[in-house]
């Protein structure tokens, strides 16, 4: 058969017998190497993509001959994406990494900065590779390497969103923001301080809408880089700026990092105070080992050896419970205090630190007396009246001990200290309850209520003027979403009261 006849045959079989079409195209490449053109390459790629054929001999060699042809490298990108990326787990993508890597120097990135109607397969391939390398342990070397293939100026700055099965809208970062998210983190991990600073500054100045707290992370990485360059003054200024922002003041790791910066400068008393602020925010013992190590060292520097030993005991317990892996630093601390056994679990010991943290943080603050006069319906904040006329706000996290539902504290007399929130507004802290009026027993009583929300696991109902409870799906008909609407009035009975709230049972629809 002539080359033209083989070419026509390969094209005609793409849809009906793509594997045969691949075979014919490879025959053309072998029999007519000098006449094999971009048209033949397109036929080969379309057939291989249609067949899902991942075993095409010399494909990268063939495509390399037409790497300047936009159609060829575009279709090749989609072939790689379909066969090695699409619907693949991170582990599967990494299994194909060597195959994918053969094509990366051949493929080219499409400029979608102006028009992103049609996505760039090259970017989808590379971004999935760096995502796979961050799935468990962040492989900074690999991610940095793959980021070098991308020109951020060719990426779209448009963010997007999708709706979950539950009807919730979820915002997603633009590809431009995603690139800087990974690239700056890789630079940070690899201690490429100058590159970290410059790339984070570009991101902060060119991204108009941030996701996943990336604006905080970019600033944090700049602060870290300045610290690595021993420019502690610049690092401190940035840390304090972030900490005093609305989002930053709730991040335990910000306080911890700033505490570590102060520790490096041997400013131990200041470092201790900021470590305490980290401790009162951090709720999960699994993330506490680094903070506990820092605090044990700080207490040692402050000649509070007995207390330093208690922090080391929690680290020991956490290692025994496999909450975190052991390390030389942890083991040195344990050996120093000669710890061989701890009676309580790490989580219990860590929870018990909460009141200690609060008392330490406000040990030299002036204490005031007052009365809780208001709790918001959402149960997250309220007001304390003191000095007869003055009032001060507080939140659920303002108490000396972890608080459950706040409504039980209405009319309670309390002691507190005055602090300031991120807005420099006064807020009560380290609240200790002196006396409180025990609320009336509601379990077993019946009320008229109004349905406030309907969710997959049941319905939330407002009742008794200012209370809300849950009618769980387990005590409802399967068709409850069709039977009831938000705003319906119902007759209900309170069946249980816990720290999480009231459990209700519907008696009838009114």
């Amino acid at each position: 058969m002539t080359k033209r006849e083989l070419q026509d045959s390969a094209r005609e079989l793409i849809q009906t017998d793509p594997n045969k079409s691949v075979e014919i195209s490879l025959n053309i490449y072998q029999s007519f190497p000098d006449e094999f053109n971009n048209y033949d390459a397109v036929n080969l790629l379309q057939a291989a993509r249609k067949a899902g054929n991942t075993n095409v001999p010399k494909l990268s060699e063939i495509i390399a001959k037409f790497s300047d042809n936009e159609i060829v490298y575009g279709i090749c990108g989609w072939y790689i994406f379909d066969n090695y990326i699409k619907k693949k787990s991170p582990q599967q993508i990494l299994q194909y990494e060597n195959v994918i890597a053969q094509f990366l120097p051949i493929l080219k990135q499409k400029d979608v900065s102006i028009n992103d109607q049609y996505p760039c397969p090259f970017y989808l391939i590379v971004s999935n590779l760096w995502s796979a390398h961050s799935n468990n342990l962040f492989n900074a070397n690999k991610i940095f390497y793959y980021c070098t293939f991308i020109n951020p100026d060719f990426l779209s700055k448009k963010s997007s969103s999708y709706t979950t099965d539950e009807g919730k809208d979820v915002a997603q970062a633009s590809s431009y923001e995603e690139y800087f998210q990974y690239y700056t983190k890789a630079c940070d991990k690899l201690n490429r301080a100058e590159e970290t600073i410059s790339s984070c500054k570009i991101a902060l100045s060119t991204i108009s809408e941030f996701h996943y707290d990336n604006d905080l992370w970019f600033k944090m990485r700049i602060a870290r880089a300045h610290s690595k360059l021993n420019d502690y003054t610049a690092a401190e200024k940035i840390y304090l700026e972030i900490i005093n922002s609305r989002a930053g003041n709730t991040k335990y790791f910000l306080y911890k990092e700033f505490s570590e910066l102060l520790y490096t400068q041997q400013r131990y008393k200041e470092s201790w105070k900021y470590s305490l602020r980290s401790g009162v925010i951090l709720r999960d013992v699994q993330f506490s080992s680094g903070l506990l190590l820092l605090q044990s060292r700080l207490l040692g520097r402050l000649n509070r050896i007995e207390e330093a030993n208690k922090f080391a005991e929690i680290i020991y317990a956490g290692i025994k419970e496999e909450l975190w892996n052991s390390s030389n630093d942890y083991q040195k601390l344990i050996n120093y205090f000669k710890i061989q056994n701890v009676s309580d679990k790490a989580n219990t010991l860590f929870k018990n630190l909460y009141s200690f943290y609060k008392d330490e943080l406000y040990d030299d603050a002036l204490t005031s007396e007052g009365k809780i006069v208001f709790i918001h319906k959402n149960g997250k904040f309220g007001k304390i009246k003191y000095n007869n006329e003055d009032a001060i706000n507080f939140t659920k996290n303002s108490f000396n001990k972890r608080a459950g539902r706040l409504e039980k504290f209405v009319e309670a007399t309390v002691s507190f200290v005055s602090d300031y929130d991120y807005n420099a507004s006064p807020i009560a802290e380290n609240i200790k309850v002196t006396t409180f009026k025990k609320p009336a027993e509601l379990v077993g009583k019946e009320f008229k209520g109004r349905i406030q929300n309907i969710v997959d696991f049941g319905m939330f109902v407002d009742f008794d003027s200012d209370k809300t409870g849950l009618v769980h799906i387990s005590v409802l008909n399967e068709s409850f979403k069709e039977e009831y609407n938000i705003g319906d009035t119902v007759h209900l009975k309170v069946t249980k009261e816990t720290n999480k709230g009231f459990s209700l049972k519907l008696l009838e629809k009114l």
Side-chain angles (χ1 to χ4, degrees), residues 11 14 34 73 77 139 142 155 157 185 206 211-212 244 280 299 308-309 336 362 384 410 417 441 443 484:
R11 185 188 69 249
I14 289 174
D34 296 333
Y73 67 69
N139 189 330
K142 283 283 191 178
L155 299 176
K157 294 181 181 178
K185 184 174 182 179
T206 55
H211 301 78
Y212 327 129
N244 291 326
V280 296
L299 287 167
N309 179 66
Y336 177 82
Y362 299 105
I384 296 173
V410 173
V417 299
E441 178 65 49
V443 176
Y484 298 94

Side-chain angles (χ1 to χ4, degrees), residues 39-136:
Y39 185 78
D40 298 308
V42 168
N43 284 342
L44 173 60
L45 285 167
Q46 287 179 333
R49 186 183 178 195
K50 177 71 175 178
N53 190 336
T54 58
N55 187 27
V56 182
K58 298 185 178 181
L59 183 60
S60 60
E61 174 188 312
I62 296 171
I63 302 307
K65 295 179 182 294
F66 307 98
S67 59
D68 291 332
N69 187 289
E70 184 177 350
I71 297 175
V72 173
Y73 67 69
I75 298 175
C76 184
W78 287 118
Y79 164 78
I80 298 298
F81 177 78
D82 287 348
N83 285 284
Y84 302 109
I85 302 292
K86 187 177 181 181
K87 296 182 179 180
K88 300 292 190 296
S89 68
Q91 293 77 15
Q92 290 172 317
I93 290 173
L94 294 182
Q95 287 174 2
Y96 299 130
E97 184 176 10
N98 290 336
V99 177
I100 299 170
Q102 297 175 25
F103 291 89
L104 291 184
I106 303 171
L107 302 177
K108 288 184 175 63
Q109 182 184 356
K110 183 170 70 171
D111 188 347
V112 296
S113 59
I114 305 300
N115 184 356
D116 63 351
Q117 182 179 1
Y118 301 103
C120 171
F122 181 75
Y123 176 76
L124 294 176
I125 293 166
V126 175
S127 62
N128 274 277
L129 280 169
W130 68 46
S131 179
H133 275 295
S134 66
N135 185 51
N136 289 321

Side-chain angles (χ1 to χ4, degrees), residues 278-291:
S278 178
V280 296
I281 299 171
L282 179 57
R283 298 299 181 102
D284 193 335
V285 67
Q286 201 157 4
F287 301 113
S288 69
S289 59
L291 176 63

Side-chain angles (χ1 to χ4, degrees), residues 248-494:
N249 80 103
T250 62
K251 305 293 190 292
Y252 78 88
F253 46 83
L254 274 168
Y255 289 101
K256 174 178 172 289
E257 284 197 18
F258 186 50
S259 176
E260 289 170 335
L261 177 68
L262 297 172
Y263 181 89
T264 301
Q265 300 172 72
Q266 300 182 5
R267 294 160 63 181
Y268 300 128
K269 288 185 178 180
E270 294 173 81
S271 177
W272 174 242
K273 287 292 185 182
Y274 278 97
S275 81
L276 293 171
R277 291 195 178 275
S278 178
V280 296
I281 299 171
L282 179 57
R283 298 299 181 102
D284 193 335
V285 67
Q286 201 157 4
F287 301 113
S288 69
S289 59
L291 176 63
L292 294 169
L293 176 65
L294 170 65
Q295 290 177 321
S296 184
R297 287 173 170 173
L298 278 167
L299 287 167
R301 295 287 186 179
L302 296 170
N303 294 317
R304 298 169 62 175
I305 304 302
E306 186 176 337
E307 290 162 305
N309 179 66
K310 292 180 180 179
F311 284 77
E313 287 180 346
I314 305 177
I315 292 175
Y316 174 87
I319 293 171
K320 290 297 181 183
E321 296 168 32
E322 299 182 350
L323 295 177
W324 47 74
N325 295 325
S326 185
S327 71
N328 289 334
D329 287 335
Y330 297 157
Q331 203 55 55
K332 284 180 182 177
L333 194 67
I334 291 168
N335 292 341
Y336 177 82
F337 287 110
K338 300 178 182 179
I339 301 171
Q340 296 181 338
N341 186 43
V342 176
S343 57
D344 288 323
K345 289 187 175 295
N347 188 45
T348 301
L349 295 169
F350 182 67
K351 283 184 176 180
N352 291 339
L353 284 178
Y354 187 80
S355 294
F356 171 76
Y357 284 149
K358 288 275 186 170
D359 286 336
E360 282 283 311
L361 191 57
Y362 299 105
D363 63 338
D364 56 355
L366 180 66
T367 302
S368 301
E369 303 289 332
K371 183 177 183 180
I372 294 177
V373 293
F374 169 75
I375 300 292
H376 192 272
K377 187 176 180 180
N378 65 17
K380 294 181 180 179
F381 66 89
K383 287 183 180 293
I384 296 173
K385 188 176 180 180
Y386 67 106
N387 291 343
N388 296 324
E389 296 298 330
D390 296 328
I392 188 169
N393 294 327
F394 68 91
T395 72
K396 194 172 183 178
N397 298 322
S398 296
F399 287 78
N400 176 265
K401 296 181 179 178
R402 297 191 190 278
R405 293 185 299 107
L406 295 186
E407 59 188 48
K408 63 184 178 182
F409 295 121
V410 173
E411 297 186 14
T413 57
V414 296
S415 66
F416 67 94
V417 299
S418 295
D419 200 348
Y420 295 92
D421 64 13
Y422 66 93
N423 276 329
S425 299
I427 187 170
E429 267 292 354
N430 202 29
I431 299 173
K432 297 179 180 179
V433 178
T434 308
T435 60
F436 73 98
K437 180 180 178 182
K438 188 174 181 180
E441 178 65 49
L442 299 179
V443 176
K445 292 187 177 181
E446 298 180 10
F447 297 91
K448 183 169 73 172
R450 180 178 175 275
I451 296 175
Q452 182 254 338
N453 195 14
I454 299 175
V455 293
D456 288 342
F457 54 85
M459 302 191 302
F460 288 97
V461 182
D462 294 337
F463 69 100
D464 195 28
S465 301
D466 61 350
K467 298 177 179 61
T468 300
L470 172 67
V471 185
H472 194 262
I473 188 174
S474 60
V475 294
L476 288 167
N477 296 328
E478 291 184 4
S479 58
F480 73 92
K481 287 186 177 181
E482 286 73 42
E483 293 180 33
Y484 298 94
N485 296 301
I486 294 174
D488 284 352
T489 302
V490 293
H491 184 200
L492 59 88
K493 183 177 182 178
V494 181

